[in-house]
């Protein structure tokens, strides 16, 4: 990286339209000293006005190698009349990333997004909204998507064969899955795994969907048919909303525990027979940008995620009548 690229300043935003978007971006590129552009893919983030700032922050935190063009489509159902589009160049890791921000109702966005995609590259579609997708907008985008990123349990978006489904909650719990697996690296610990009959999972805040996916992964690994042996507890730890705070596998004479200690660490306790081990390990919390970058760079193994998703979805369906 040269001194010039390390001091890049944002360029824009400039108002434009669908037909003139590429011309406006070219005018912004002409103001730079950079000859090489990052043709690394498209990410389309579909969001709502009150989440727009958070989505922009997350996309700004990405590395440029993940997607050279960002399209932030702000869905405003009440919007009428002319659609607004702003074009800008955003510095990321010594590179400029093209960003187009659209504000319109979903019907207007349908015809606007496809012409703005950079061709012959990977397409990531991120449904960054709390509302379940209604209407044809997301359905049409999945036809050209290589990856769909969503809170898949909340929105009830199942895995599909035509694209890779990525769940940010699943991705951000990857370090917890690795940490739990490490507890059974020794032969004596692995030998008592069959004695485990219960699982307890602590998570921060009211959102336990990441915890359900994590519990479903454990259940699939142990051969459990459902999550009836799992207890979900609201935890209190220095982690982000919805992140895991602790995990405990237990059974007659055995206990394997992971407890968060601060924002980075986890304390593990293993007890069975004469064994009584305690260790500390690093299980850092992921930011939204880090989780987003991870799913874009390293898609999870589909079969493992799909099996966990199916169990977690079934547990939510069973829990719904109880809550009502």
């Amino acid at each position: 990286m040269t001194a010039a690229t390390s001091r890049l300043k944002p360029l824009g935003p400039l108002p434009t339209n669908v037909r003139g978007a590429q011309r406006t971006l070219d005018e912004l590129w002409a103001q730079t000293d950079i000859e090489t552009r990052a043709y690394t893919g498209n990410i389309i983030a579909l969001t709502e006005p009150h989440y727009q700032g958070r989505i922009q922050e997350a996309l700004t935190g990405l590395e440029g190698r993940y997607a050279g063009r960002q399209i932030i489509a702000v869905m405003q159902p009440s919007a009428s009349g002319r659609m607004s589009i702003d074009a800008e160049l955003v510095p990321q890791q010594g590179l400029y990333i093209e960003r187009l921000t659209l504000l319109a109702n979903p019907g207007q966005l349908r015809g606007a997004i496809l012409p703005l995609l950079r061709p012959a590259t990977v397409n990531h579609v991120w449904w960054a909204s709390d509302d379940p997708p209604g209407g044809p907008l997301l359905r049409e985008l999945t036809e050209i998507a290589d990856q769909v990123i969503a809170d898949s349990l909340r929105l009830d978006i199942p895995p599909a064969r035509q694209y890779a489904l990525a769940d940010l909650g699943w991705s951000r719990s990857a370090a917890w899955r690795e940490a739990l697996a490490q507890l059974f690296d020794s032969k004596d610990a692995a030998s008592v795994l069959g004695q485990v009959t219960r699982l307890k999972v602590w998570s921060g805040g009211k959102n336990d969907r990441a915890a359900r996916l994590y519990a479903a992964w454990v259940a699939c690994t142990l051969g459990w048919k459902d999550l009836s042996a799992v207890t979900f507890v609201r935890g209190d730890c220095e982690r982000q909303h919805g992140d895991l705070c602790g995990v405990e596998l237990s059974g007659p004479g055995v206990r394997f525990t992971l407890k968060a200690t601060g924002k980075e660490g986890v304390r593990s306790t293993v007890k069975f027979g004469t064994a009584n081990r305690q260790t500390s390990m690093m299980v850092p919390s992921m930011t939204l940008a880090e989780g987003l970058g991870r799913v874009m760079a390293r898609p999870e193994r589909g079969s493992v995620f799909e099996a966990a998703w199916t169990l977690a979805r079934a547990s939510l369906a069973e829990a719904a009548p109880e809550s009502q």
Side-chain angles (χ1 to χ4, degrees), residues 26-47:
D26 289 339
E27 292 173 359
L28 292 172
W29 278 110
Q31 301 176 33
T32 73
D33 297 326
I34 299 174
E35 298 180 359
T36 303
R37 303 184 187 183
Y39 293 104
T40 52
N42 304 291
I43 179 167
I44 306 105
L46 299 153
T47 190

Side-chain angles (χ1 to χ4, degrees), residues 153-154 156 208-209 212 226-227 232 309-324:
L153 284 179
R154 177 184 178 88
D156 198 18
D208 69 352
R209 292 184 295 276
R212 286 185 182 272
D226 53 37
L227 302 189
F232 296 99
W309 190 93
T310 302
L311 277 190
R313 179 67 186 84
S315 74
L316 281 175
E318 292 169 359
E322 296 176 6
S323 64
Q324 292 172 359

Side-chain angles (χ1 to χ4, degrees), residues 181-192:
Q182 288 178 24
L183 299 186
F184 298 94
D185 281 347
S186 62
K187 291 184 178 180
D188 60 345
S191 67
V192 300

Side-chain angles (χ1 to χ4, degrees), residues 84-163:
S84 69
I85 303 179
D86 288 328
E88 58 188 316
L89 297 184
V90 181
Q92 280 184 6
Q93 303 292 324
L95 299 171
Y96 271 126
I97 302 303
E98 299 173 345
R99 176 179 292 170
L100 296 166
T101 302
L102 289 65
L103 178 62
N105 62 52
Q108 292 172 312
L109 292 172
R110 282 183 60 194
I113 293 176
L114 292 183
L116 297 176
L117 296 177
R118 180 177 282 157
T121 56
V122 176
N123 295 317
H124 305 272
V125 177
W126 178 18
W127 185 266
S129 169
D130 282 341
D131 295 329
L137 178 58
L138 181 62
R139 185 172 64 250
E140 291 184 359
L141 288 176
T142 58
E143 294 178 1
I144 54 91
D146 297 284
Q147 182 183 57
V148 172
I149 304 167
D151 184 344
S152 58
L153 284 179
R154 177 184 178 88
L155 303 174
D156 198 18
I157 300 176
R161 296 302 173 192
Q162 67 267 30
Y163 56 79

Side-chain angles (χ1 to χ4, degrees), residues 19 21 51 68 182 258 305 307:
R19 289 187 177 183
Y51 283 148
Q182 288 178 24
L258 296 172
F305 171 72

